């Protein structure tokens, strides 16, 4: 299934940024998030089991829309596609990654942190972008400033956002969804506290937008 990345925002206000350390945690974690009303899942390519985790989630939890985060190379793009991911997310943007995603029909949410990077991604046809690391590079003030010269660009700010600050970002006209790691705290995953993760997902899914 091919997904336009902007349509990911239709499924809820927050996309969890997930780090999987143990393969056996992948499916119950995905099930817990979906049970809380969060269907779009970004699994980062930061651990040795990440690709296997994505494949397991996509196979065992069909309600989940599984994407690969931390795409840094063409090889990452190919591996994510082979694992059954439905979209990709990169911390920055290169034309090589953009071209590979186009070629393999993997919808991409590319990362940017400056106006020049926004222009580079725009030139390649991308108008829905991940602002990363959002809080560190200026957060709400930067997003407001970018809204002037780029009224046709929408953002998914990620990095440093919390349950408490997400509503402030989501009030901005150019923010469609936020990325957040607070939905999947490592201690909850390590202890198998899936009920806690379902509660965190439900809280995130209920954040008002606009």
């Amino acid at each position: 299934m091919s997904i336009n990345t902007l349509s990911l925002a239709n499924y809820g206000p927050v996309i969890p940024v997930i780090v999987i350390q143990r393969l056996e945690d992948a499916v119950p974690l995905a099930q817990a998030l979906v049970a809380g009303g969060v269907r779009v899942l970004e699994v980062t390519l930061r651990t040795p089991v990440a690709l296997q985790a994505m494949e397991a989630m996509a196979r065992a939890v069909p309600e989940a829309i599984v994407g690969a985060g931390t795409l840094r190379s063409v090889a990452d793009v190919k591996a994510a596609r082979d694992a059954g991911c439905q979209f990709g997310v990169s911390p920055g943007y290169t034309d090589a990654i953009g071209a590979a995603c186009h070629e393999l029909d993997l919808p991409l949410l590319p990362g940017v942190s400056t106006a020049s990077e926004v222009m580079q991604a725009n030139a390649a046809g991308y108008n829905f972008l991940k602002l990363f690391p959002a809080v560190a590079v200026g957060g709400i003030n930067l997003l407001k400033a970018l809204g002037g010269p780029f009224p046709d660009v929408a953002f998914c700010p990620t990095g440093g956002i919390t349950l408490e600050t997400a509503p402030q970002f989501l009030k901005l006209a150019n923010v469609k969804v936020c990325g957040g790691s607070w939905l999947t705290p490592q201690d909850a995953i390590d202890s198998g506290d899936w009920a806690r993760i379902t509660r965190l997902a439900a809280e995130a899914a209920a954040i008002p937008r606009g």
Side-chain angles (χ1 to χ4, degrees), residues 125-140:
Y126 293 100
N127 291 307
F128 180 44
L129 311 174
K130 164 184 169 177
L131 182 71
F132 177 81
V135 171
V137 298
I140 288 173

Side-chain angles (χ1 to χ4, degrees), residues 21-48:
Q21 302 288 351
R22 301 179 304 197
L23 183 58
E24 60 265 30
D25 294 330
V27 170
L29 176 60
Q31 291 170 332
L33 289 164
V34 169
V38 174
R39 292 181 56 196
V40 180
L41 314 180
E42 177 192 338
V43 181
T44 62
L45 281 173
R46 300 181 190 177
T47 67

Side-chain angles (χ1 to χ4, degrees), residues 76-143:
D76 288 343
V77 174
K78 292 177 178 176
R81 195 57 166 156
D82 290 345
C85 290
Q86 292 176 269
F87 68 98
V89 185
S90 57
Y93 178 76
T94 67
D95 288 331
I97 286 179
C101 287
H102 278 303
E103 181 182 345
L104 295 174
D105 194 27
L106 183 69
L108 176 67
L109 177 59
V112 299
S113 61
T114 67
S116 294
E117 291 167 1
V118 172
M119 291 174 67
Q120 184 184 6
N122 285 173
Y126 293 100
N127 291 307
F128 180 44
L129 311 174
K130 164 184 169 177
L131 182 71
F132 177 81
V135 171
V137 298
I140 288 173
N141 287 337
L142 178 57
L143 286 160

